[in-house]
Amino acid sequence: MASGLNDTIPEYYSYNSGIFEVRGAAGAGKTFQLTQDVTNIFKLRKKITVISFSNAAVDELSSRVGNTDVVLSTIHSFCWRLLAPVALKVLKMLFSSGNFTIKSLDNNAIFDVKNVNYGAELGFGNFVKETQDLWISHDDVIKIFTCALEQIPSFSKLITSSYDFILIDEYQDTKYEFLTALFKHISVNTVIGLYGDPYQSVYLDEHSTEFVSVENKFTVHKFILDSNYRSEKYLVDIFNIARSSYDGLAQQAVNDSEISKSRARVFIGNTRLSNKIVSTINDKMKFEKSTVLSNTNRLKTSVTDFSEIANQLNRGIHDTPRLEWPEILNTEQLNYRIKGLLKYGKLFFGSNYDKVVSLRSIFTDESISFLGMNQISDIINKIKDEKTNTFQHLIQQGLEVKSEYKNIESLLNNIEYQELANINDFYNNLENINGKSSTIYSSKGLEFDNVILNIDWGYHKGRNWNDINFYLKEGDESSNPNINLMSYLFYVGITRAKHGLAIYINANEHPNFLNSFQKKFSSIDIDYQYLI
């Protein structure tokens, strides 16, 4: 490994081209280093841009960097910002080569396109024949960008003349094709800075195992952050063992107080983790509160005893299409069907104010005035008393649905009262659920006082904890990304803990994991407790 970063001025500040990597294990202060570098490089009057993995990460970086002229963006926004002024011209040049296609166009010819737009909010591609408008998808933005770098020299010059430094946060989760194109065509005249940790790669694709071989074709100057500012010393010792075979990066705990070894413990059961077992673990560990980290959203909700209604939403209610987990659990961007159900549920389970707002949202003012609030209130109370099918009865009494709710009218007609009550209860408790239980993916970049890592596969095809390789070495990754992923997820999961760590193993499903774990951590005095 290369030399570490201390309080000295990093040598890459003086680079005019090339690639450098700032690698730091969990809790090493990578984001702090990045924000310091952005501020200091900007003071050197360098043209600089920063790319991060998600909008949330961009917002976090923006709050730390402060008000500067440095542009921070996601990879898709970065690509589109450079493509937008020349997108139609670039597409026509790429299509003229005869071997270029994008999902958004399907079988439509490029000469039919009049305008090129980017659907940044939804990220879905679409071609409107009537107006000849092309909306390109997230994946297409990156493909067009990388192909333009490969085939259009003037496009590379546009980028290198625009930026002296391109800094990439969480580079290990950035598209392989994008990084390869930057290395090959941009790093000769612009500095590419990589910040991250390959042992925390949780978003893998079919090219993930090729990145190390590609990186080895270029000169990458490596700088190491070897402190841990997050966790207690005893936990850091466990973290170091977990990644010792991978790259040998060992951290020193800044908080060097030695805590009781009982604060890291393995619990072994023969069933899925439940809220009751979580309470037992919290009592035994003396955790005032804890956060459970699991492999899937299905496990996340089952831990908090809300799996039945969450799975029902996931499968779709009655005749509604299947929903994806982000559409169910992301309260800021809920699927419109769920929004409609929750608004409707306020008529029966909300405050008086909620009832009035919901009533006026769903039904026309004319029909509400015709019936009168007193009569409507009597109808709603009768439905609540009888717990019967609800929506059609309101229509029959004279309420008229607003046009925007007509596309979910059949859903509202078929929802049963108890289902509506369960959904309402689920979303009233969702914030509490998210505070107690999370997926390992969602926890990346976060930290918690006490963590319970849930070793259970959740029936996710191909991703089974039994397949974990605790002796994975950088550069020797298996051709199956899912096997590598289990090692990365384990490391990300345990390193979220600041003070206390409990690992729950469903040994009925994962006997091989238990054996592998005991061998890997045999040098640490970890207490094993069996739960019936």
Side-chain angles (χ1 to χ4, degrees), residues 108 112-115 126-135:
N108 297 290
D112 287 333
V113 175
K114 182 178 180 181
N115 297 301
N126 184 38
F127 179 62
V128 184
K129 290 184 178 180
E130 293 77 14
T131 61
Q132 297 179 334
D133 283 340
L134 172 66
W135 294 83

Side-chain angles (χ1 to χ4, degrees), residues 304-497:
T304 53
D305 296 337
F306 274 95
S307 59
E308 183 177 346
I309 183 60
N311 289 333
Q312 184 182 14
L313 287 165
N314 178 240
R315 292 190 299 267
I317 298 176
H318 302 302
D319 297 328
T320 61
R322 178 185 175 89
L323 300 176
E324 298 299 325
W325 282 104
E327 295 181 281
I328 297 169
L329 299 173
N330 185 351
T331 54
E332 294 181 0
Q333 295 180 326
L334 282 178
N335 181 279
Y336 73 91
R337 295 181 182 87
I338 296 176
K339 285 183 179 178
L341 284 174
L342 293 177
K343 182 68 73 173
Y344 180 55
K346 295 295 184 184
L347 292 177
F348 307 98
F349 312 111
S351 65
N352 289 333
Y353 174 78
D354 291 332
K355 291 176 182 177
V356 173
V357 172
S358 297
L359 192 67
R360 294 194 176 278
S361 296
I362 301 171
F363 302 104
T364 64
D365 288 341
E366 292 81 1
S367 63
I368 293 172
S369 298
F370 177 77
L371 279 180
M373 292 301 296
N374 289 335
Q375 185 176 346
I376 294 173
S377 181
D378 289 340
I379 296 170
I380 290 174
N381 288 332
K382 183 178 180 181
I383 291 172
K384 289 178 65 176
D385 291 339
E386 296 179 354
K387 294 182 173 55
T388 56
N389 193 307
T390 60
F391 187 76
Q392 195 59 37
H393 186 59
L394 289 168
I395 300 299
Q396 291 169 352
Q397 296 300 313
L399 286 174
E400 182 180 347
V401 184
K402 285 187 174 179
S403 56
E404 63 182 302
Y405 276 82
K406 285 189 178 296
N407 59 351
I408 62 168
E409 191 168 355
S410 62
L411 171 61
L412 298 180
N413 274 331
N414 292 313
I415 192 76
E416 296 180 4
Y417 183 87
Q418 192 55 52
E419 286 181 313
L420 191 62
N422 290 340
I423 294 170
N424 185 74
D425 188 37
F426 176 79
Y427 281 99
N428 283 341
N429 285 279
L430 188 57
E431 184 175 349
N432 189 37
I433 292 171
N434 290 337
K436 291 182 177 179
S437 184
S438 174
T439 62
I440 302 173
Y441 301 90
S442 299
S443 73
K444 192 165 180 285
L446 304 178
E447 58 185 37
F448 310 100
D449 285 340
N450 303 303
V451 165
I452 300 175
L453 181 60
N454 183 18
I455 303 298
D456 202 343
W457 69 312
Y459 305 112
H460 192 301
K461 184 178 180 181
R463 296 182 181 176
N464 192 314
W465 290 104
N466 276 324
D467 298 330
I468 196 167
N469 177 12
F470 281 120
Y471 300 93
L472 181 67
K473 293 183 179 180
E474 185 177 16
D476 294 337
E477 281 91 346
S478 161
S479 59
N480 184 349
N482 284 323
I483 293 178
N484 304 334
L485 182 62
M486 305 318 293
S487 300
Y488 303 149
L489 287 175
F490 178 81
Y491 180 75
V492 170
I494 63 174
T495 54
R496 301 309 96 194

Side-chain angles (χ1 to χ4, degrees), residues 242-298:
R243 75 177 296 152
S244 58
S245 301
Y246 184 74
D247 61 4
L249 198 168
Q251 292 180 298
Q252 298 294 320
V254 173
N255 181 1
D256 60 359
S257 62
E258 187 72 55
I259 64 170
S260 167
K261 289 182 172 53
S262 65
R263 300 293 277 175
R265 190 177 298 178
V266 174
F267 294 88
I268 302 166
N270 58 8
T271 187
R272 178 160 293 178
L273 186 63
S274 65
N275 195 37
K276 182 178 180 181
I277 297 176
V278 170
S279 296
T280 300
I281 293 174
N282 284 338
D283 288 342
K284 289 181 177 291
M285 295 293 292
K286 296 181 172 57
F287 289 165
E288 184 175 335
K289 64 178 181 177
S290 63
T291 301
V292 179
L293 304 181
S294 303
N295 188 25
T296 67
N297 279 303
R298 183 176 181 180

Side-chain angles (χ1 to χ4, degrees), residues 116-127:
V116 183
N117 312 282
Y118 171 45
E121 183 175 345
L122 297 177
F124 294 113
N126 184 38
F127 179 62

